[in-house]
Amino acid sequence: MNNIFFDLDGTIINSEKGIMGALKYMYTKTDGFVPHDDDTLRAFIGPTLSESFKKYDNLDFDNPLSQERFKAFKEYYQEKGVFDYSVYDGVYEMMENLKSQDKEIFIATSKPEVEAKKIIDQLDMKKYIRHVFGATDDEKTRSLKADVISYGMRKTSVDLNSDNLVMVGDRSSDIIGAHQNDLKAIGVTYGFGNAEELSEAHSEWIVNSPLEVPEIFKK
């Protein structure tokens, strides 16, 4: 496996503060109150808003209320939340280690691609990452992790296939998206998912820190 797709939120960066702030702003603006506790709101981090609206609010994404919420979320997040994150300890060392093994590194995130690229620029990670692949701004034509992975595999000039590519992520959506593209996956427990969620999604490997990821490729 010479090529690696990394999720962004919960795998490279801890974006909890910015996303939680955006969710609370969104619900307060559209509903007048926040209908979920913090533990439920944290479960929104990783999957798309459309998936979370369906799961936790029983709302389809084409519902007018969903669209109103989506607009409110973007209003806060693009202005404030997108900059409110931290990098997990060990991530830069992980990148250095993987590059020393001549691995090609990509980002595959359900975050809109424009926002993801801004974050990678801010983190000075372009020297490690060949391409950033993300969702469309409207989360309609390309938002599910499987779709983002498929898009990335088609778009890059690197020959990517199930024999030379692996996905790394913290949520079951990352693992399921990888498997839907016939890829193996590495689940990480230091993000927003946990070992039980990743195991139930049949992640081929599960690690507890960024520095454990390069060790898999040495075996």
Side-chain angles (χ1 to χ4, degrees):
M1 298 179 294
N2 296 318
N3 307 290
I4 310 165
F5 274 12
F6 276 96
D7 176 45
L8 186 58
D9 295 314
T11 305
I12 301 298
I13 62 171
N14 183 347
S15 52
E16 177 177 332
K17 190 175 180 181
I19 294 177
M20 292 283 279
L23 289 169
K24 290 178 179 181
Y25 172 88
M26 172 193 78
Y27 277 118
T28 300
K29 182 169 183 178
T30 60
D31 296 51
F33 71 106
V34 180
H36 304 298
D37 60 22
D38 282 1
D39 284 343
T40 302
L41 291 178
R42 286 189 191 96
F44 278 59
I45 306 174
T48 63
L49 282 175
S50 58
E51 290 177 86
S52 296
F53 289 160
K54 182 66 175 178
K55 183 174 183 179
Y56 298 106
D57 298 325
N58 197 29
L59 279 178
D60 292 325
F61 201 56
D62 57 1
N63 185 296
L65 179 56
S66 290
Q67 292 302 306
E68 188 180 349
R69 286 177 178 174
F70 182 73
K71 183 178 179 181
F73 180 92
K74 301 284 282 187
E75 182 179 293
Y76 179 97
Y77 191 75
Q78 290 180 340
E79 182 69 23
K80 298 178 182 178
V82 68
F83 306 110
D84 211 351
Y85 62 82
S86 58
V87 181
Y88 287 109
D89 290 342
V91 163
Y92 284 102
E93 292 89 340
M94 173 186 70
M95 294 287 184
E96 288 283 359
N97 196 317
L98 290 170
K99 292 303 285 187
S100 73
Q101 295 184 48
D102 295 323
K103 305 303 181 187
E104 290 283 6
I105 301 170
F106 306 82
I107 296 293
T109 175
S110 292
K111 186 186 292 295
E113 190 169 297
V114 172
E115 294 174 4
K117 287 180 176 179
K118 285 181 183 177
I119 290 171
I120 295 302
D121 286 346
Q122 290 169 357
L123 296 176
D124 193 28
M125 284 190 177
K126 289 181 72 174
K127 57 190 173 186
Y128 304 118
I129 294 167
R130 180 155 184 160
H131 294 298
V132 177
F133 305 120
T136 51
D137 286 344
D138 60 7
E139 285 198 6
K140 290 182 179 179
T141 56
R142 187 179 70 248
S143 61
L144 296 177
K145 186 53 65 78
D147 297 334
V148 174
I149 293 172
S150 176
Y151 157 75
M153 291 174 70
R154 293 193 312 270
K155 187 174 181 181
T156 182
S157 59
V158 179
D159 180 21
L160 300 178
N161 57 65
S162 58
D163 294 326
N164 66 17
L165 176 64
V166 66
M167 178 73 207
V168 183
D170 67 308
R171 299 302 308 271
S172 60
S173 54
D174 297 307
I175 312 306
I176 293 168
H179 291 165
Q180 289 175 335
N181 283 280
D182 297 321
L183 305 180
K184 292 182 178 179
I186 301 171
V188 304
T189 63
Y190 57 83
F192 301 111
N194 56 46
E196 181 180 7
E197 175 183 338
L198 297 167
S199 180
E200 287 179 354
H202 305 294
S203 183
E204 280 76 15
W205 299 272
I206 297 177
V207 300
N208 301 311
S209 73
L211 292 177
E212 291 180 51
V213 174
E215 296 304 311
I216 291 173
F217 297 92
K218 294 178 181 178
K219 297 175 183 178

PDB file of all heavy atoms in Angstrom, residues 83-107:
ATOM      1  N   PHE A  83     -11.983  28.103  11.416  1.00  0.00           N
ATOM      2  CA  PHE A  83     -10.652  28.417  11.948  1.00  0.00           C
ATOM      3  C   PHE A  83     -10.468  27.920  13.383  1.00  0.00           C
ATOM      4  O   PHE A  83      -9.399  28.079  13.949  1.00  0.00           O
ATOM      5  CB  PHE A  83     -10.423  29.928  11.904  1.00  0.00           C
ATOM      6  CG  PHE A  83     -10.627  30.532  10.543  1.00  0.00           C
ATOM      7  CD1 PHE A  83     -11.707  31.358  10.284  1.00  0.00           C
ATOM      8  CD2 PHE A  83      -9.755  30.248   9.502  1.00  0.00           C
ATOM      9  CE1 PHE A  83     -11.905  31.910   9.024  1.00  0.00           C
ATOM     10  CE2 PHE A  83      -9.943  30.786   8.241  1.00  0.00           C
ATOM     11  CZ  PHE A  83     -11.031  31.613   8.000  1.00  0.00           C
ATOM     12  N   ASP A  84     -11.517  27.329  13.965  1.00  0.00           N
ATOM     13  CA  ASP A  84     -11.490  26.954  15.376  1.00  0.00           C
ATOM     14  C   ASP A  84     -11.197  25.462  15.513  1.00  0.00           C
ATOM     15  O   ASP A  84     -12.101  24.647  15.708  1.00  0.00           O
ATOM     16  CB  ASP A  84     -12.842  27.303  16.018  1.00  0.00           C
ATOM     17  CG  ASP A  84     -12.705  27.676  17.488  1.00  0.00           C
ATOM     18  OD1 ASP A  84     -11.607  27.494  18.039  1.00  0.00           O
ATOM     19  OD2 ASP A  84     -13.696  28.149  18.066  1.00  0.00           O
ATOM     20  N   TYR A  85      -9.925  25.093  15.395  1.00  0.00           N
ATOM     21  CA  TYR A  85      -9.528  23.689  15.458  1.00  0.00           C
ATOM     22  C   TYR A  85      -8.100  23.596  15.978  1.00  0.00           C
ATOM     23  O   TYR A  85      -7.391  24.596  16.105  1.00  0.00           O
ATOM     24  CB  TYR A  85      -9.607  23.044  14.073  1.00  0.00           C
ATOM     25  CG  TYR A  85      -8.670  23.673  13.053  1.00  0.00           C
ATOM     26  CD1 TYR A  85      -7.321  23.318  12.982  1.00  0.00           C
ATOM     27  CD2 TYR A  85      -9.126  24.648  12.170  1.00  0.00           C
ATOM     28  CE1 TYR A  85      -6.465  23.910  12.071  1.00  0.00           C
ATOM     29  CE2 TYR A  85      -8.276  25.241  11.260  1.00  0.00           C
ATOM     30  CZ  TYR A  85      -6.949  24.874  11.217  1.00  0.00           C
ATOM     31  OH  TYR A  85      -6.107  25.478  10.316  1.00  0.00           O
ATOM     32  N   SER A  86      -7.674  22.384  16.293  1.00  0.00           N
ATOM     33  CA  SER A  86      -6.286  22.129  16.669  1.00  0.00           C
ATOM     34  C   SER A  86      -5.838  20.851  15.964  1.00  0.00           C
ATOM     35  O   SER A  86      -6.666  20.050  15.520  1.00  0.00           O
ATOM     36  CB  SER A  86      -6.151  21.970  18.192  1.00  0.00           C
ATOM     37  OG  SER A  86      -6.971  20.908  18.661  1.00  0.00           O
ATOM     38  N   VAL A  87      -4.532  20.683  15.853  1.00  0.00           N
ATOM     39  CA  VAL A  87      -3.974  19.483  15.212  1.00  0.00           C
ATOM     40  C   VAL A  87      -3.698  18.448  16.301  1.00  0.00           C
ATOM     41  O   VAL A  87      -3.160  18.780  17.357  1.00  0.00           O
ATOM     42  CB  VAL A  87      -2.676  19.811  14.457  1.00  0.00           C
ATOM     43  CG1 VAL A  87      -2.128  18.570  13.773  1.00  0.00           C
ATOM     44  CG2 VAL A  87      -2.920  20.915  13.445  1.00  0.00           C
ATOM     45  N   TYR A  88      -4.064  17.212  16.053  1.00  0.00           N
ATOM     46  CA  TYR A  88      -3.801  16.157  17.030  1.00  0.00           C
ATOM     47  C   TYR A  88      -2.295  15.971  17.220  1.00  0.00           C
ATOM     48  O   TYR A  88      -1.519  16.040  16.247  1.00  0.00           O
ATOM     49  CB  TYR A  88      -4.417  14.836  16.578  1.00  0.00           C
ATOM     50  CG  TYR A  88      -5.927  14.808  16.693  1.00  0.00           C
ATOM     51  CD1 TYR A  88      -6.726  14.837  15.554  1.00  0.00           C
ATOM     52  CD2 TYR A  88      -6.550  14.751  17.932  1.00  0.00           C
ATOM     53  CE1 TYR A  88      -8.117  14.809  15.653  1.00  0.00           C
ATOM     54  CE2 TYR A  88      -7.934  14.725  18.036  1.00  0.00           C
ATOM     55  CZ  TYR A  88      -8.710  14.760  16.902  1.00  0.00           C
ATOM     56  OH  TYR A  88     -10.075  14.743  17.002  1.00  0.00           O
ATOM     57  N   ASP A  89      -1.893  15.731  18.458  1.00  0.00           N
ATOM     58  CA  ASP A  89      -0.493  15.458  18.762  1.00  0.00           C
ATOM     59  C   ASP A  89      -0.004  14.269  17.950  1.00  0.00           C
ATOM     60  O   ASP A  89      -0.675  13.233  17.899  1.00  0.00           O
ATOM     61  CB  ASP A  89      -0.313  15.159  20.259  1.00  0.00           C
ATOM     62  CG  ASP A  89      -0.506  16.380  21.135  1.00  0.00           C
ATOM     63  OD1 ASP A  89      -0.444  17.504  20.601  1.00  0.00           O
ATOM     64  OD2 ASP A  89      -0.720  16.209  22.352  1.00  0.00           O
ATOM     65  N   GLY A  90       1.141  14.420  17.336  1.00  0.00           N
ATOM     66  CA  GLY A  90       1.741  13.326  16.579  1.00  0.00           C
ATOM     67  C   GLY A  90       1.437  13.326  15.101  1.00  0.00           C
ATOM     68  O   GLY A  90       2.027  12.541  14.349  1.00  0.00           O
ATOM     69  N   VAL A  91       0.549  14.208  14.646  1.00  0.00           N
ATOM     70  CA  VAL A  91       0.156  14.196  13.228  1.00  0.00           C
ATOM     71  C   VAL A  91       1.317  14.601  12.325  1.00  0.00           C
ATOM     72  O   VAL A  91       1.576  13.966  11.293  1.00  0.00           O
ATOM     73  CB  VAL A  91      -1.073  15.096  12.988  1.00  0.00           C
ATOM     74  CG1 VAL A  91      -1.224  15.423  11.503  1.00  0.00           C
ATOM     75  CG2 VAL A  91      -2.339  14.407  13.492  1.00  0.00           C
ATOM     76  N   TYR A  92       2.026  15.670  12.677  1.00  0.00           N
ATOM     77  CA  TYR A  92       3.146  16.097  11.825  1.00  0.00           C
ATOM     78  C   TYR A  92       4.234  15.026  11.795  1.00  0.00           C
ATOM     79  O   TYR A  92       4.822  14.753  10.732  1.00  0.00           O
ATOM     80  CB  TYR A  92       3.722  17.423  12.325  1.00  0.00           C
ATOM     81  CG  TYR A  92       2.861  18.616  11.990  1.00  0.00           C
ATOM     82  CD1 TYR A  92       2.038  19.194  12.956  1.00  0.00           C
ATOM     83  CD2 TYR A  92       2.865  19.178  10.716  1.00  0.00           C
ATOM     84  CE1 TYR A  92       1.237  20.295  12.650  1.00  0.00           C
ATOM     85  CE2 TYR A  92       2.074  20.274  10.405  1.00  0.00           C
ATOM     86  CZ  TYR A  92       1.266  20.825  11.376  1.00  0.00           C
ATOM     87  OH  TYR A  92       0.475  21.904  11.072  1.00  0.00           O
ATOM     88  N   GLU A  93       4.503  14.398  12.943  1.00  0.00           N
ATOM     89  CA  GLU A  93       5.498  13.323  12.977  1.00  0.00           C
ATOM     90  C   GLU A  93       5.038  12.140  12.131  1.00  0.00           C
ATOM     91  O   GLU A  93       5.847  11.500  11.444  1.00  0.00           O
ATOM     92  CB  GLU A  93       5.725  12.865  14.421  1.00  0.00           C
ATOM     93  CG  GLU A  93       6.403  13.916  15.304  1.00  0.00           C
ATOM     94  CD  GLU A  93       5.409  14.844  15.987  1.00  0.00           C
ATOM     95  OE1 GLU A  93       4.245  14.954  15.516  1.00  0.00           O
ATOM     96  OE2 GLU A  93       5.789  15.471  16.985  1.00  0.00           O
ATOM     97  N   MET A  94       3.748  11.849  12.174  1.00  0.00           N
ATOM     98  CA  MET A  94       3.195  10.783  11.330  1.00  0.00           C
ATOM     99  C   MET A  94       3.420  11.078   9.853  1.00  0.00           C
ATOM    100  O   MET A  94       3.844  10.201   9.080  1.00  0.00           O
ATOM    101  CB  MET A  94       1.695  10.635  11.601  1.00  0.00           C
ATOM    102  CG  MET A  94       0.976   9.680  10.674  1.00  0.00           C
ATOM    103  SD  MET A  94      -0.825   9.673  10.918  1.00  0.00           S
ATOM    104  CE  MET A  94      -1.269  11.307  10.274  1.00  0.00           C
ATOM    105  N   MET A  95       3.139  12.319   9.451  1.00  0.00           N
ATOM    106  CA  MET A  95       3.332  12.704   8.052  1.00  0.00           C
ATOM    107  C   MET A  95       4.790  12.557   7.631  1.00  0.00           C
ATOM    108  O   MET A  95       5.096  12.035   6.549  1.00  0.00           O
ATOM    109  CB  MET A  95       2.877  14.146   7.841  1.00  0.00           C
ATOM    110  CG  MET A  95       1.392  14.379   8.027  1.00  0.00           C
ATOM    111  SD  MET A  95       0.443  13.688   6.657  1.00  0.00           S
ATOM    112  CE  MET A  95      -1.210  14.214   7.114  1.00  0.00           C
ATOM    113  N   GLU A  96       5.702  13.013   8.487  1.00  0.00           N
ATOM    114  CA  GLU A  96       7.138  12.904   8.189  1.00  0.00           C
ATOM    115  C   GLU A  96       7.537  11.444   8.022  1.00  0.00           C
ATOM    116  O   GLU A  96       8.283  11.084   7.100  1.00  0.00           O
ATOM    117  CB  GLU A  96       7.957  13.544   9.315  1.00  0.00           C
ATOM    118  CG  GLU A  96       7.902  15.058   9.356  1.00  0.00           C
ATOM    119  CD  GLU A  96       8.787  15.698   8.289  1.00  0.00           C
ATOM    120  OE1 GLU A  96       9.455  14.966   7.535  1.00  0.00           O
ATOM    121  OE2 GLU A  96       8.783  16.943   8.214  1.00  0.00           O
ATOM    122  N   ASN A  97       7.040  10.607   8.917  1.00  0.00           N
ATOM    123  CA  ASN A  97       7.367   9.182   8.873  1.00  0.00           C
ATOM    124  C   ASN A  97       6.857   8.542   7.591  1.00  0.00           C
ATOM    125  O   ASN A  97       7.565   7.781   6.924  1.00  0.00           O
ATOM    126  CB  ASN A  97       6.758   8.498  10.108  1.00  0.00           C
ATOM    127  CG  ASN A  97       7.341   7.126  10.370  1.00  0.00           C
ATOM    128  OD1 ASN A  97       7.537   6.346   9.455  1.00  0.00           O
ATOM    129  ND2 ASN A  97       7.596   6.826  11.642  1.00  0.00           N
ATOM    130  N   LEU A  98       5.620   8.860   7.223  1.00  0.00           N
ATOM    131  CA  LEU A  98       5.042   8.279   6.005  1.00  0.00           C
ATOM    132  C   LEU A  98       5.773   8.756   4.752  1.00  0.00           C
ATOM    133  O   LEU A  98       6.007   7.975   3.818  1.00  0.00           O
ATOM    134  CB  LEU A  98       3.556   8.620   5.916  1.00  0.00           C
ATOM    135  CG  LEU A  98       2.659   7.924   6.945  1.00  0.00           C
ATOM    136  CD1 LEU A  98       1.262   8.523   6.925  1.00  0.00           C
ATOM    137  CD2 LEU A  98       2.596   6.417   6.684  1.00  0.00           C
ATOM    138  N   LYS A  99       6.142  10.032   4.717  1.00  0.00           N
ATOM    139  CA  LYS A  99       6.887  10.542   3.562  1.00  0.00           C
ATOM    140  C   LYS A  99       8.262   9.886   3.467  1.00  0.00           C
ATOM    141  O   LYS A  99       8.754   9.637   2.365  1.00  0.00           O
ATOM    142  CB  LYS A  99       7.031  12.061   3.650  1.00  0.00           C
ATOM    143  CG  LYS A  99       5.726  12.830   3.478  1.00  0.00           C
ATOM    144  CD  LYS A  99       5.012  12.521   2.165  1.00  0.00           C
ATOM    145  CE  LYS A  99       5.664  13.170   0.968  1.00  0.00           C
ATOM    146  NZ  LYS A  99       4.861  12.994  -0.266  1.00  0.00           N
ATOM    147  N   SER A 100       8.848   9.580   4.624  1.00  0.00           N
ATOM    148  CA  SER A 100      10.148   8.906   4.612  1.00  0.00           C
ATOM    149  C   SER A 100      10.030   7.485   4.068  1.00  0.00           C
ATOM    150  O   SER A 100      11.017   6.897   3.626  1.00  0.00           O
ATOM    151  CB  SER A 100      10.755   8.875   6.022  1.00  0.00           C
ATOM    152  OG  SER A 100      10.074   7.949   6.852  1.00  0.00           O
ATOM    153  N   GLN A 101       8.808   6.946   4.116  1.00  0.00           N
ATOM    154  CA  GLN A 101       8.552   5.622   3.529  1.00  0.00           C
ATOM    155  C   GLN A 101       8.094   5.735   2.069  1.00  0.00           C
ATOM    156  O   GLN A 101       7.682   4.740   1.466  1.00  0.00           O
ATOM    157  CB  GLN A 101       7.459   4.889   4.333  1.00  0.00           C
ATOM    158  CG  GLN A 101       7.829   4.539   5.763  1.00  0.00           C
ATOM    159  CD  GLN A 101       6.727   3.729   6.436  1.00  0.00           C
ATOM    160  OE1 GLN A 101       6.215   2.754   5.888  1.00  0.00           O
ATOM    161  NE2 GLN A 101       6.342   4.126   7.632  1.00  0.00           N
ATOM    162  N   ASP A 102       8.164   6.958   1.517  1.00  0.00           N
ATOM    163  CA  ASP A 102       7.775   7.221   0.124  1.00  0.00           C
ATOM    164  C   ASP A 102       6.290   6.957  -0.143  1.00  0.00           C
ATOM    165  O   ASP A 102       5.907   6.509  -1.239  1.00  0.00           O
ATOM    166  CB  ASP A 102       8.626   6.387  -0.844  1.00  0.00           C
ATOM    167  CG  ASP A 102      10.091   6.787  -0.795  1.00  0.00           C
ATOM    168  OD1 ASP A 102      10.380   7.989  -0.654  1.00  0.00           O
ATOM    169  OD2 ASP A 102      10.950   5.886  -0.879  1.00  0.00           O
ATOM    170  N   LYS A 103       5.462   7.251   0.845  1.00  0.00           N
ATOM    171  CA  LYS A 103       4.017   7.116   0.657  1.00  0.00           C
ATOM    172  C   LYS A 103       3.440   8.399   0.056  1.00  0.00           C
ATOM    173  O   LYS A 103       3.890   9.496   0.366  1.00  0.00           O
ATOM    174  CB  LYS A 103       3.314   6.835   1.994  1.00  0.00           C
ATOM    175  CG  LYS A 103       3.853   5.626   2.750  1.00  0.00           C
ATOM    176  CD  LYS A 103       3.788   4.352   1.926  1.00  0.00           C
ATOM    177  CE  LYS A 103       4.320   3.157   2.710  1.00  0.00           C
ATOM    178  NZ  LYS A 103       4.419   1.930   1.884  1.00  0.00           N
ATOM    179  N   GLU A 104       2.453   8.237  -0.803  1.00  0.00           N
ATOM    180  CA  GLU A 104       1.713   9.382  -1.338  1.00  0.00           C
ATOM    181  C   GLU A 104       0.493   9.601  -0.443  1.00  0.00           C
ATOM    182  O   GLU A 104      -0.286   8.673  -0.193  1.00  0.00           O
ATOM    183  CB  GLU A 104       1.269   9.115  -2.773  1.00  0.00           C
ATOM    184  CG  GLU A 104       2.410   9.100  -3.772  1.00  0.00           C
ATOM    185  CD  GLU A 104       2.907  10.499  -4.125  1.00  0.00           C
ATOM    186  OE1 GLU A 104       2.443  11.479  -3.515  1.00  0.00           O
ATOM    187  OE2 GLU A 104       3.763  10.596  -5.028  1.00  0.00           O
ATOM    188  N   ILE A 105       0.320  10.837   0.022  1.00  0.00           N
ATOM    189  CA  ILE A 105      -0.727  11.144   0.999  1.00  0.00           C
ATOM    190  C   ILE A 105      -1.767  12.070   0.376  1.00  0.00           C
ATOM    191  O   ILE A 105      -1.422  13.056  -0.281  1.00  0.00           O
ATOM    192  CB  ILE A 105      -0.101  11.799   2.251  1.00  0.00           C
ATOM    193  CG1 ILE A 105       0.933  10.856   2.881  1.00  0.00           C
ATOM    194  CG2 ILE A 105      -1.185  12.159   3.267  1.00  0.00           C
ATOM    195  CD1 ILE A 105       1.770  11.504   3.972  1.00  0.00           C
ATOM    196  N   PHE A 106      -3.022  11.738   0.612  1.00  0.00           N
ATOM    197  CA  PHE A 106      -4.143  12.523   0.105  1.00  0.00           C
ATOM    198  C   PHE A 106      -5.132  12.767   1.249  1.00  0.00           C
ATOM    199  O   PHE A 106      -5.147  12.020   2.225  1.00  0.00           O
ATOM    200  CB  PHE A 106      -4.883  11.773  -1.011  1.00  0.00           C
ATOM    201  CG  PHE A 106      -4.016  11.318  -2.144  1.00  0.00           C
ATOM    202  CD1 PHE A 106      -3.273  10.143  -2.047  1.00  0.00           C
ATOM    203  CD2 PHE A 106      -3.942  12.052  -3.324  1.00  0.00           C
ATOM    204  CE1 PHE A 106      -2.470   9.710  -3.096  1.00  0.00           C
ATOM    205  CE2 PHE A 106      -3.146  11.624  -4.382  1.00  0.00           C
ATOM    206  CZ  PHE A 106      -2.411  10.456  -4.270  1.00  0.00           C
ATOM    207  N   ILE A 107      -5.940  13.803   1.104  1.00  0.00           N
ATOM    208  CA  ILE A 107      -7.049  14.030   2.026  1.00  0.00           C
ATOM    209  C   ILE A 107      -8.343  13.656   1.301  1.00  0.00           C
ATOM    210  O   ILE A 107      -8.559  14.038   0.149  1.00  0.00           O
ATOM    211  CB  ILE A 107      -7.130  15.499   2.483  1.00  0.00           C
ATOM    212  CG1 ILE A 107      -5.887  15.886   3.294  1.00  0.00           C
ATOM    213  CG2 ILE A 107      -8.410  15.753   3.286  1.00  0.00           C
ATOM    214  CD1 ILE A 107      -5.756  15.178   4.631  1.00  0.00           C
TER     215      ILE A 107
END
